[in-house]
Amino acid sequence: MDDNTEVHSETDAARAGSTPNIVRWVLAISMLAAIVLLSIIWITGAATQDASESQVSVDAAPASSAAPASSDSMVSEPAPAMKAPVTEATNAN
């Protein structure tokens, strides 16, 4: 058997199909559409903004950001103490 035999074939034959590059067009069109739509949303939002919304003071914190007096959360409760695992080395002593 000859080890120097290499198989050379065309790209379309090796892939058993053609490459029409439609994926690149879909990607380019969808990227352009996303940029245009998000720009329209941003521009119309900025154009319809009131004068009172144009500058916000950091001193005026919303009431919802204040810490609540009590919480039902389990996160603030301490975790119960865990017992050490029993191993054969512990039982041997």
Side-chain angles (χ1 to χ4, degrees), residues 29-47:
I29 292 170
S30 61
M31 179 72 80
L32 183 64
I35 291 171
V36 168
L37 288 174
L38 289 175
S39 296
I40 289 171
I41 292 170
W42 176 55
I43 291 169
T44 57

Side-chain angles (χ1 to χ4, degrees), residues 56-61:
V56 178
S57 174
V58 177
D59 297 335

Side-chain angles (χ1 to χ4, degrees), residues 1 13 16 43 46-48 54-55 59 61 63 67 75-76 79 85 87:
M1 182 176 222
I43 291 169
T48 59
S54 63
Q55 294 186 7
D59 297 335
V75 176
S76 64
T87 61

Side-chain angles (χ1 to χ4, degrees), residues 8-35:
H8 295 279
S9 60
E10 295 295 321
T11 305
D12 289 342
R15 291 184 186 155
S18 63
T19 55
N21 296 329
I22 188 108
V23 176
R24 292 182 186 137
W25 283 103
V26 170
L27 178 63
I29 292 170
S30 61
M31 179 72 80
L32 183 64
I35 291 171

